[in-house]
Amino acid sequence: MFRSNNLVARIFERQIRTPPPGTSVYCTRQFYENLVPSHTVYDIKCPDHSFRKFTDDGLYLISFSRNRQEVIVYRPAWLSFSCNGEDCDTHDLPAKANRFESFFTQLYCLSLASSNEHLYKDFFLYIEKSQFGIFATSTTQTHDAPATGGAVHGIPSIEMITFHLVRLEDGVILDEKVFRNDFIYLAHNTGVFLYDDLLAIVSLRYQTIHILQIRDSGHLVDVRAIGAFCHEDDDLFLNSNSQFMAPRPHHSNATHNENDLRDNISIPENSFLGGIKQRLLSFIFRGIWNEETDQSMRVQCLKKKFYFHFQDYVDLVIWKVQFLDRHHLLMKFGSVDGVLSRNADHHPAFFAVYNMEDAEFIAFYQNYADELYFLFEQFVDHFFAPSRNSLHVNFITCHSNNVYALEQLRSLKNKSTSSSQFVKKMLASLPFPCQLQSPSPYFDQSLFRFDEKLISATDRHRQSTDNPIKFISRRQPKVPKFKIKPGPEAGSGDGRTKKISFLFHPSLPLAVSVQQTLFLQQSVVNVHFRR
């Protein structure tokens, strides 16, 4: 839209020109080419906390205490000071600029974990509409717990996992949801997905997807549990029918025999497949059945593709789940060995689309399916399932809405020696974890170009580098707009391995870089802002 790179000229141009329909937000984001972080305060004096993220609306900065017992919530502020000279940009910043309190105001410190619990510092979800936050605490896990009550063998157990719904405005705990003797993978929000007011929690130990609704009143309401049963009345229906299926004994030890028979037909652990597994196998069977019209060929196809792999299908377990919309879930299945493996990409995996309302599967793919990759390449923004109430996350760059990201993806595909391995590698990221990408405009690849090996919108730790990270203008390919340097100009030079994470504010020219060593030392925090 803008013809000039000058900020004042762009403001005047905005007054006399109307952007094309549907592009007003994008045109406004182009002002960030002029409003960039231009100054850094290194090793700022701040509390020894573990800083998690800015909320997607930018109202709060979430952090955790080092003992993982408390949540500390800050409100982003801005450094303000007076200057008597004419050219204030050349003056040194005042001494208070080196204090964390000059940029952030602490709202409260909330204790959530008891003495035998700890907070998951890598887990946090935010409901922007109501400004609620979801935190998780748990006790220590037991790796050799016995698989009882329908639990999957080989999955560890945690005595108690608690989800806390907190009103971030004042730190009031509104509701809690407790899971006992279960296991939910909470690192990087993996086992929990939020879509609008719906929350999906995956119990790996009991292979159950718990769907909860977050009410505006601040209550967590159970909607349904998908696993052994798919409808709310499945348990009642099966138990009522089992009474008629059981024959009446006629000999003296009738009570003993009747109890034994009931145990064999009223959904014991190994008699029936769970509801979700039964529907999955039925869908796979019907899909293979419909591939052939000739009866003899159909039988051979079923033997080869279904019955030969029947036990492999039965042994599949749910790895991850995400919402596609309010009625459909994308599920990832795999072997038990790959559930908690760091090299899960080496294990066979399958994807399935499930309709919660009709309790049926509508699609099933292997993890190297070209059809699924085509959907991933063309419509990957649909897999992010952004909330309808959030304006910020709708502009996160991906290769289905940005030509530069698409070119980068296709370049990687052309360089790959094996098409199937490349597809498998790309699809390994599905389902996407919830709220792990920053909506900051400085990660908009239509505005800036940067090295994604050093920094990206995805929230994760990276290897620290002594070289500055350059953000280069797309309009002027040879002009670096600004630089983010994780450490002081002199460098550290101590030779220790360092990890760094970046927290970008979603709308302000403000970022926080947190540098950590592998030892239990206080992190080095730098604040990057526009002076």
Side-chain angles (χ1 to χ4, degrees):
M1 172 184 176
F2 298 113
R3 299 174 182 176
S4 172
N5 293 319
N6 182 271
L7 178 61
V8 177
R10 286 185 168 191
I11 294 175
F12 279 113
E13 191 174 353
R14 185 181 62 174
Q15 292 179 331
I16 61 176
R17 294 183 62 190
T18 302
T23 64
S24 58
V25 176
Y26 171 74
C27 293
T28 302
R29 285 168 68 90
Q30 293 184 25
F31 280 99
Y32 283 100
E33 293 178 328
N34 302 90
L35 304 173
V36 299
S38 59
H39 190 81
T40 300
V41 178
Y42 295 105
D43 196 8
I44 197 169
K45 296 178 181 178
C46 69
D48 188 16
H49 295 160
S50 177
F51 296 98
R52 178 66 180 92
K53 65 174 295 184
F54 288 100
T55 56
D56 287 341
D57 55 9
L59 294 178
Y60 307 99
L61 173 64
I62 309 299
S63 66
F64 302 99
S65 60
R66 279 293 176 183
N67 60 5
R68 297 166 67 183
Q69 298 286 312
E70 300 166 329
V71 174
I72 304 95
V73 178
Y74 293 91
R75 175 86 71 183
W78 202 260
L79 177 67
S80 60
F81 61 95
S82 60
C83 175
N84 295 325
E86 295 182 357
D87 191 3
C88 294
D89 291 339
T90 60
H91 289 204
D92 293 334
L93 293 176
K96 70 174 184 177
N98 197 38
R99 295 199 299 267
F100 189 80
E101 295 77 13
S102 299
F103 297 90
F104 301 94
T105 302
Q106 180 176 325
L107 298 182
Y108 52 84
C109 178
L110 177 65
S111 178
L112 287 180
S114 61
S115 58
N116 63 335
E117 292 179 309
H118 64 270
L119 278 158
Y120 271 94
K121 64 178 183 178
D122 289 333
F123 175 84
F124 170 73
L125 292 175
Y126 181 62
I127 302 96
E128 184 174 342
K129 177 184 177 182
S130 50
Q131 295 185 20
F132 294 161
I134 303 176
F135 302 89
T137 59
S138 77
T139 56
T140 58
Q141 69 181 38
T142 305
H143 291 278
D144 54 351
T148 58
V152 177
H153 181 74
I155 302 295
S157 176
I158 299 177
E159 182 180 355
M160 186 170 67
I161 303 172
T162 307
F163 292 92
H164 307 265
L165 183 66
V166 178
R167 188 168 58 207
L168 294 186
E169 183 180 6
D170 51 13
V172 175
I173 302 175
L174 301 174
D175 203 354
E176 295 179 347
K177 177 69 175 179
V178 180
F179 294 86
R180 297 187 181 276
N181 301 315
D182 207 335
F183 186 84
I184 301 168
Y185 194 59
L186 295 177
H188 307 294
N189 304 344
T190 301
V192 184
F193 198 92
L194 176 69
Y195 181 84
D196 284 340
D197 60 342
L198 294 179
L199 191 69
I201 302 176
V202 182
S203 164
L204 293 177
R205 183 166 170 80
Y206 293 100
Q207 289 294 287
T208 302
I209 305 168
H210 300 272
I211 307 297
L212 284 71
Q213 185 180 28
I214 305 170
R215 298 286 178 84
D216 291 338
S217 59
H219 293 89
L220 296 171
V221 180
D222 292 313
V223 177
R224 58 167 55 92
I226 304 170
F229 308 109
C230 296
H231 286 296
E232 292 81 355
D233 57 350
D234 282 354
D235 188 16
L236 177 63
F237 176 79
L238 290 175
N239 286 327
S240 62
N241 278 272
S242 67
Q243 297 176 4
F244 300 99
M245 292 169 58
R248 288 182 172 274
H250 298 286
H251 36 80
S252 60
N253 57 347
T255 303
H256 176 72
N257 290 337
E258 183 175 340
N259 290 336
D260 290 344
L261 189 56
R262 292 277 178 86
D263 288 341
N264 290 330
I265 63 174
S266 60
I267 323 177
E269 292 183 15
N270 298 319
S271 292
F272 294 115
L273 293 174
I276 195 72
K277 188 66 65 65
Q278 175 65 43
R279 281 164 170 77
L280 178 64
L281 291 173
S282 300
F283 182 81
I284 297 172
F285 179 91
R286 291 196 305 269
I288 298 174
W289 175 277
N290 295 329
E291 288 181 5
E292 300 288 345
T293 56
D294 181 75
Q295 186 65 22
S296 61
M297 293 297 296
R298 178 177 286 168
V299 172
Q300 294 298 322
C301 191
L302 284 172
K303 288 181 179 180
K304 180 180 179 181
K305 295 184 178 182
F306 183 75
Y307 293 113
F308 183 78
H309 298 285
F310 180 79
Q311 191 58 46
D312 295 328
Y313 290 138
V314 171
D315 293 338
L316 290 177
V317 296
I318 301 173
W319 282 2
K320 293 190 292 184
V321 168
Q322 74 161 90
F323 282 105
L324 294 177
D325 55 35
R326 295 187 68 87
H327 307 293
H328 295 87
L329 295 174
L330 175 65
M331 301 182 183
K332 187 174 185 178
F333 292 88
S335 64
V336 177
D337 297 334
V339 172
L340 302 176
S341 173
R342 292 190 175 183
N343 297 319
D345 300 349
H346 300 293
H347 295 269
F350 301 87
F351 297 94
V353 179
Y354 179 76
N355 186 316
M356 295 189 297
E357 302 299 326
D358 299 332
E360 64 179 12
F361 285 92
I362 60 176
F364 182 75
Y365 306 97
Q366 289 184 303
N367 62 339
Y368 53 84
D370 291 331
E371 181 182 356
L372 181 58
Y373 175 76
F374 174 79
L375 297 174
F376 174 82
E377 181 177 286
Q378 299 296 323
F379 309 102
V380 70
D381 50 340
H382 290 267
F383 290 97
F384 288 112
S387 170
R388 295 173 300 176
N389 302 309
S390 177
L391 174 65
H392 309 280
V393 298
N394 290 323
F395 291 90
I396 294 177
T397 296
C398 61
H399 49 260
S400 62
N401 62 19
N402 187 278
V403 63
Y404 301 104
L406 181 60
E407 288 178 357
Q408 185 178 9
L409 176 68
R410 290 178 174 173
S411 175
L412 293 174
K413 184 177 181 180
N414 294 332
K415 294 178 182 178
S416 176
T417 56
S418 172
S419 177
S420 61
Q421 290 299 320
F422 173 79
V423 170
K424 184 183 295 187
K425 182 179 179 181
M426 291 296 104
L427 296 182
S429 58
L430 294 178
F432 287 120
C434 186
Q435 296 186 6
L436 275 195
Q437 289 199 307
S438 170
S440 170
Y442 300 109
F443 293 121
D444 188 340
Q445 294 192 30
S446 62
L447 299 177
F448 300 98
R449 178 169 57 88
F450 46 86
D451 189 348
E452 291 198 62
K453 295 179 181 179
L454 302 177
I455 192 171
S456 72
T458 305
D459 177 23
R460 61 185 177 92
H461 296 286
R462 288 176 169 79
Q463 192 76 25
S464 181
T465 175
D466 292 332
N467 298 321
I469 302 172
K470 298 179 181 179
F471 286 75
I472 301 173
S473 171
R474 285 288 184 184
R475 291 165 56 94
Q476 299 171 289
K478 296 183 180 180
V479 178
K481 283 295 184 178
F482 67 100
K483 301 177 182 179
I484 294 289
K485 188 171 177 60
E489 295 296 333
S492 57
D494 56 7
R496 290 181 297 180
T497 302
K498 297 183 177 66
K499 295 290 184 179
I500 192 165
S501 58
F502 297 93
L503 311 179
F504 274 74
H505 193 277
S507 57
L508 298 176
L510 174 67
V512 177
S513 60
V514 182
Q515 195 176 56
Q516 299 172 334
T517 63
L518 298 181
F519 302 97
L520 297 177
Q521 296 181 351
Q522 183 173 351
S523 303
V524 176
V525 179
N526 310 314
V527 177
H528 315 270
F529 65 103
R530 179 174 177 81
R531 182 171 173 176

